[in-house]
Amino acid sequence: MNLLPKSHKEFSEKDYWNKFFKKRGNKAFEWYGEYLELCTYLHKYIKQTDKILIPGCGNSSLSADLYDVGMKKITNIDVSEVVIRQMKAINVARSEMTFTCMDAMKTTFEENEFNVVLDKGTLDALMPDESEETISNIDNYFKEMKRILKTGGRFICISLLQSHILKKLVDVFSDKSWMFRVVRCHEAEQKNIENGDGTTLPVFVVIATKFKLMPNLILEVCLAGEKMIRLKSPEELLSCVKSAQDTAFITNSLGKSHLDEDDEVSLDLMMPGEDTPRYTLYVVDKKKSQAVNKYAVFIVPQGRESEWLFGTPTGRRQLQNSARFSRLVVAVLRRGHHFESLDAVKEELAQSAKMLIPNGLSGQIPFLSLGSDVGRRVKVYEGSSKVSGEFVVEEVDVGEDTFKRLIFLDNQFLVQSEAKLKTVKKKNKTKRVIDFGHISQYHSFMCPCLHLTPVTDIAIIGLGGGGLCMFLKKCYPKMKITAVDLDPAMLEVAKNQFELEVDERLSVQIKDGLDFLKEEAEICRQYSCVMFDVDSKDRTLGLSCPPQQFLQDEALNHVESILTNDGHFILNLVCRDKSLREKMIETLKRHFKHIASVKLYEEVNEIIFATNSDMPYNIEVLEAAAKNLNATARKHNLVKIKCVDLKDFLQAVTIES
């Protein structure tokens, strides 16, 4: 039985509705939810003593449900004689409620007769487009509804709020004699999803309250939770509603479809009135035949979001494979917000989790995490620079350890610098200080080549928090280190937050690394080792580290010039473009006789070693160098066991030439 109109224009035609209700019979047709889904909202704005008008009542059971809970003064009108006869017969026992065949655009009611006009889908039916005829009819409709409402009365409209309808509502009610609210009805949406019937687009309840002229326009929305947000302009209201609709379109599409195994979808969730995302959700799917479980949400504790398992598409795929869920939503808690507890996070995410559930599934959604809390991430410093933009320094708990991290806010999921904190006791007092023996895996992989030749002077392009510089200073007492960074703010952060010690053995020059290389080459300065550990600010390339100009011929000529004959060039390369990476290796081969690479497992970093020494790289030589590095670190009490995981290091080595 086809009960949908041939064209959307038929929604507003009387003949269509007569045919519709004859076909439908006495079975109620509930647009946008029933009383149980709507009652929470309706009872906030309708009193039992109110006189209520329901225009375009159709054969909805809503008026009967309101009557049965004590709201007796209800008048129902509709243009369809068929449905009015049906409803009179159905509601014969509800003697105080009336049903009248009447056009809502031409009513015969007195002025100020009703406390409430309750429109459930009628406006959507009357306004299928913005034609001149439709707008004329809608203007008459609103003129009537305003006329018959008392001061203090409420026009309550349940609608999908298509853009042209919302704009018209805002235009009609955005003067200073009305208070205008938009509330999202999640219960009605969820019921439609569970039934597989009707729309799964957002359902809204609009409440326009009639007052005498007020000093200011009052516009409010409540699109999540129960908090009402006061807005500044009609444009802001339109934007809020459109955002909710766009998100629902995506989530409903995800509910009906299955992502390819190489794809994932990410969604930012924001609280109304806030400017920054509170959560980011990543949705990943796998073939049902490969999954034991169907659907779950994994909550990533604060501070763990940058780890490979949670912070990369490949890692999230691995997490899903381990959990063996057909669909896994990975929820990341964004910085700048307070999260009270894991249970509170689950409660906040519950509605979004339901929106992303695949069709056909119901019941309680399992929430997974690494422990029983949301982790700890505390901002200890924030700043801004012309070079790096806004940045923060945070303390983060990972298991039983605490780390201090530098994060550039334009790339929040990347840890720029990290230092482990340790507790020391002095004069019966304890305090936490930087553990210089802890360096990141990629920094530890950069260091073995220092044992392939006597190292006296070393240049490091890129300072960050200074962790690599301080490790080398503590590990090699006779080494002289020159660090170069473009950003003066980073030097202050390194000294004040990461305990960088600048002295005659460790100096920092604030200048462009390219200028430094050129100047050192011009004065024929020699270094045993040159390291590049500098990030790129250009996000348009598949190259995050270093900037592309650092690997062009001019810069590499300068590197060659300032290296001793048996010196080593060590590069931290982060390149997601395979063809670009191959071009860079070919460029390096034009400048260096011997090249080796070490690809970090579970990371995008790749360490490149290059030299013009007569001694080529091979596995045995690099293994011996890594062992010597570990021995040196232990000798200076920097690490108790090892600096480089020898097995990981050797498995990752590739001899390029």
Side-chain angles (χ1 to χ4, degrees), residues 174-205:
S174 64
D175 61 57
K176 295 179 182 179
S177 59
W178 293 86
M179 178 179 178
F180 192 81
R181 281 182 170 176
V182 178
V183 180
R184 186 171 177 180
C185 181
H186 290 285
E187 292 84 350
E189 295 173 39
Q190 189 59 35
K191 184 65 176 295
N192 289 331
I193 292 172
E194 292 172 358
N195 290 343
D197 184 30
T199 180
T200 54
L201 294 175
V203 178
F204 299 95
V205 181

Side-chain angles (χ1 to χ4, degrees), residues 264-433:
E264 71 174 14
V265 171
S266 65
L267 300 169
D268 286 339
L269 302 182
M270 302 175 69
M271 297 294 286
E274 294 184 351
D275 297 325
T276 58
R278 186 168 174 81
Y279 299 96
T280 294
L281 305 183
Y282 297 93
V283 184
V284 287
D285 285 345
K286 68 184 302 181
K287 293 179 181 178
K288 294 180 180 179
S289 59
Q290 300 174 356
V292 174
N293 307 296
K294 295 181 179 178
Y295 178 65
V297 177
F298 190 98
I299 299 171
V300 180
Q302 296 179 92
R304 308 293 295 272
E305 65 278 350
S306 60
E307 295 179 16
W308 175 83
L309 192 62
F310 313 119
T312 66
T314 306
R316 290 187 285 269
R317 182 70 60 197
Q318 178 61 49
L319 178 64
Q320 182 191 30
N321 290 336
S322 300
R324 301 184 72 185
F325 279 92
S326 177
R327 169 167 291 176
L328 186 67
V329 175
V330 181
V332 172
L333 284 57
R334 298 292 295 270
R335 59 178 39 82
H337 301 276
H338 173 70
F339 301 94
E340 184 176 340
S341 66
L342 189 60
D343 286 339
V345 169
K346 291 178 183 179
E347 185 176 344
E348 287 185 355
L349 291 175
Q351 184 60 42
S352 297
K354 289 179 182 177
M355 293 167 63
L356 292 167
I357 195 169
N359 275 5
L361 292 184
S362 59
Q364 190 171 1
I365 298 171
F367 283 89
L368 314 175
S369 192
L370 293 177
S372 58
D373 58 46
V374 292
R376 189 183 74 95
R377 179 175 55 204
V378 179
K379 181 170 62 179
V380 295
Y381 182 78
E382 63 181 336
S384 179
S385 78
K386 294 180 180 179
V387 177
S388 304
E390 295 183 348
F391 59 86
V392 296
V393 178
E394 302 172 334
E395 286 188 8
V396 174
D397 290 342
V398 180
E400 297 180 356
D401 297 321
T402 300
F403 295 87
K404 182 175 278 192
R405 291 174 175 171
L406 170 64
I407 307 290
F408 292 161
L409 294 184
D410 67 342
N411 194 6
Q412 295 194 27
F413 295 108
L414 176 67
V415 176
Q416 189 68 26
S417 295
E418 177 181 87
K420 185 179 178 181
L421 298 178
K422 64 180 180 179
T423 301
V424 297
K425 189 174 183 179
K426 289 185 178 180
K427 297 181 181 180
N428 297 322
K429 291 183 179 180
T430 61
K431 67 174 183 177
R432 289 194 299 183
V433 298

